[in-house]
Amino acid sequence: MVGGAPVTLQDISAEVEVFYSAMRYNRAQNVWNFEVTIANRTTRDLTGAMVLYVESFNGTTGVLNADATDGTHAYFGMALSIPGGTRSRVCSARFLAGAVAG
């Protein structure tokens, strides 16, 4: 389910690059925030309902406020269009505060 609608997902991880940046501690909410940028590595436009699937993490006790889960892994809905060859979309995700691996 993405945005309340059932969808069939296709793995496009070979067609994109994911960059994590700007990790910072939010004292008011006692969580870590970070930004994610997705870059299209192909020459074609990528369009449609996309999700950022969190396969693993370390230095934290887990994902907070994900849009959904498949029962094992969390994911964030990112309905967007990424033109061929350009970077697109920055989003924030929150993790439980904990020791962060350096």
Side-chain angles (χ1 to χ4, degrees):
M1 301 282 276
V2 175
V7 295
T8 301
L9 299 176
Q10 176 184 357
D11 183 359
I12 62 166
S13 56
E15 300 175 56
V16 297
E17 291 180 285
V18 179
F19 301 96
Y20 298 93
S21 63
M23 187 168 187
R24 59 207 171 274
Y25 182 64
N26 181 328
R27 289 187 195 281
Q29 297 181 351
N30 196 34
V31 296
W32 287 96
N33 294 316
F34 70 93
E35 295 177 355
V36 177
T37 302
I38 298 176
N40 183 347
R41 297 175 52 191
T42 72
T43 56
R44 69 182 179 92
D45 292 352
L46 300 175
T47 60
M50 297 183 201
V51 298
L52 177 66
Y53 189 78
V54 181
E55 293 179 340
S56 65
F57 49 83
N58 62 30
T60 182
T61 54
V63 177
L64 278 179
N65 299 330
D67 294 326
T69 179
D70 66 4
T72 306
H73 299 92
Y75 60 87
F76 298 91
M78 301 182 69
L80 46 87
S81 174
I82 308 175
T86 61
R87 286 191 181 168
S88 182
R89 305 295 165 115
V90 177
C91 69
S92 293
R94 295 190 302 190
F95 286 76
L96 291 169
V100 176

